[in-house]
Amino acid sequence: MVFEGIKKAFAKLREHKDDEARQLLLEAGVALEVVEQIQLEAKDRELSDVIYERLKLLESPDLEAMINQGRSWPYVMVFFGVNGVGKTTAVAKVCKLLVLKGFKPTLVPADTYRAGAIEQLTAHATKLGVPFVQSRYGADPASIAYEAKKTNMGKENSVVLIDTAGRVEMDKNLMDQMKKIVRVAQPNLKVLVVDALTGNAVIRQVEGYDQAVGVDAFIVTKVDADNKGGVFLSLSKYKRPVLFVSNGQDYDSLQPFRAKEWIGAYLQ
Ligand code: GDP
């Protein structure tokens, strides 16, 4: 994987052609504030150090270890994200991975809004052979999430994976619903799923969700379809880890984010 636009931008930065570099970085989907920070930091430091340091902030933690540190069961993870980013697919992929690690996940369709959302998640549950919580359209997602937690209370190795509703617009109603889910389910980990192709708008998504519910980690989807790469530099602004990158449509396409592997795509 090589991100030509960013590579070109960094070459311009090294030649002190700041305006051209800035334009190329913006076109590659790097948020303006981050472009400015990188330009500033690269004035008196080696560019590769500046970039590596940023990518290091995104390194994936060991999810298995995090869950085991949770100490009480179930470990509850809730997934947020704008419509279409690949949230439901990501929940199913994390579920498969947890099964392989010996955990006992339950899928929770707490998107009771979008037609087909419940069936989409329950079909994954059936394929993966894991339990799911019964849900119905129009029901209160927070009470479904609460039920799932209660049912698994004290069950060793249980992990509750809550899929939530996303809309194109992050309206107040939706955010109030998300806040209620968090209040009631008290998740151990709040994951925001973002699409690598989002471009600069990722900033608005992160800040919208972060203000409403607090974001602990990201999953970045569709990296297989992204030839720009700007999303990771934009996300480095938040100093929070990328739990996984999603690199395709099949269940096994989740990968950890490793700065060492990615720096080459920007600089080599
Ligand atoms: P949601 O609305 O956020 O829950 O999105 P979905 O999980 O329904 O996914 C939306 C579309 O994106 C589906 O067609 C998925 O197959 C596709 N998708 C999800 N993750 C990836 C990925 O990593 N790569 C590619 N190429 N497509 C993906």
Side-chain angles (χ1 to χ4, degrees):
M1 186 173 20
V2 179
F3 300 125
E4 289 298 343
I6 293 187
K7 256 179 65 180
K8 230 186 262 172
F10 289 158
K12 296 285 179 199
L13 258 187
R14 288 200 173 102
E15 294 162 22
H16 306 291
K17 292 181 177 159
D18 270 20
D19 288 346
E20 285 173 63
R22 181 188 174 97
Q23 192 54 37
L24 285 164
L25 287 170
L26 290 174
E27 282 166 16
V30 185
L32 178 61
E33 285 168 75
V34 176
V35 173
E36 288 173 345
Q37 284 169 0
I38 291 173
Q39 285 188 309
L40 203 68
E41 290 165 24
K43 284 210 187 310
D44 43 28
R45 292 181 57 212
E46 185 58 45
L47 182 61
S48 56
D49 292 345
V50 168
I51 301 305
Y52 187 64
E53 212 165 81
R54 283 186 170 270
L55 297 180
K56 275 298 266 186
L57 299 170
L58 302 175
E59 287 251 318
S60 297
D62 179 345
L63 180 60
E64 187 179 359
M66 275 164 74
I67 294 176
N68 283 324
Q69 272 163 17
R71 288 196 189 87
S72 66
W73 303 103
Y75 187 87
V76 179
M77 295 173 70
V78 56
F79 297 78
F80 303 107
V82 168
N83 222 7
V85 293
K87 179 166 37 65
T88 304
T89 313
V91 174
K93 290 176 184 178
V94 171
C95 179
K96 162 112 193 249
L97 198 133
L98 293 176
V99 170
L100 292 176
K101 299 263 183 206
F103 292 106
K104 295 189 170 70
T106 297
L107 292 184
V108 186
D111 179 355
T112 59
Y113 179 79
R114 179 172 65 85
I118 296 176
E119 291 79 2
Q120 195 185 340
L121 195 73
T122 54
H124 283 304
T126 307
K127 263 194 226 164
L128 295 167
V130 302
F132 59 89
V133 171
Q134 292 293 343
S135 180
R136 64 183 168 74
Y137 295 103
D140 177 15
S143 60
I144 293 164
Y146 180 75
E147 270 309 307
K149 184 167 180 177
K150 212 172 78 178
T151 311
N152 284 286
M153 209 60 97
K155 287 190 190 158
E156 197 154 336
N157 291 328
S158 62
V159 183
V160 166
L161 302 175
I162 304 171
D163 187 21
T164 64
R167 291 178 207 158
V168 177
E169 274 311 308
M170 300 179 292
D171 60 40
K172 185 176 178 303
N173 273 345
L174 179 74
M175 288 306 171
D176 285 347
Q177 200 181 82
M178 299 301 120
K179 281 184 198 170
K180 191 172 168 196
I181 293 175
V182 166
R183 204 166 55 237
V184 170
Q186 299 275 312
N188 300 78
L189 195 67
K190 290 168 284 183
V191 180
L192 182 66
V193 183
V194 298
D195 177 337
L197 309 172
T198 312
N200 302 342
V202 79
I203 295 291
R204 256 194 54 235
Q205 293 178 12
V206 176
E207 289 173 15
Y209 277 95
D210 200 31
Q211 255 179 21
V213 290
V215 171
D216 299 318
F218 305 110
I219 287 181
V220 182
T221 62
K222 308 187 194 178
V223 293
D224 53 307
D226 175 36
N227 60 7
K228 293 189 167 175
V231 71
F232 294 104
L233 291 175
S234 296
L235 291 178
S236 68
K237 174 177 177 208
Y238 302 103
K239 301 183 166 60
R240 275 164 251 185
V242 171
L243 196 58
F244 295 107
V245 295
S246 163
N247 199 13
Q249 315 223 23
D250 55 298
Y251 284 129
D252 299 315
S253 57
L254 281 188
Q255 295 166 354
F257 181 92
R258 299 269 172 260
K260 266 215 172 89
E261 289 166 22
W262 284 78
I263 186 115
Y266 291 128
L267 288 165
Q268 267 163 23

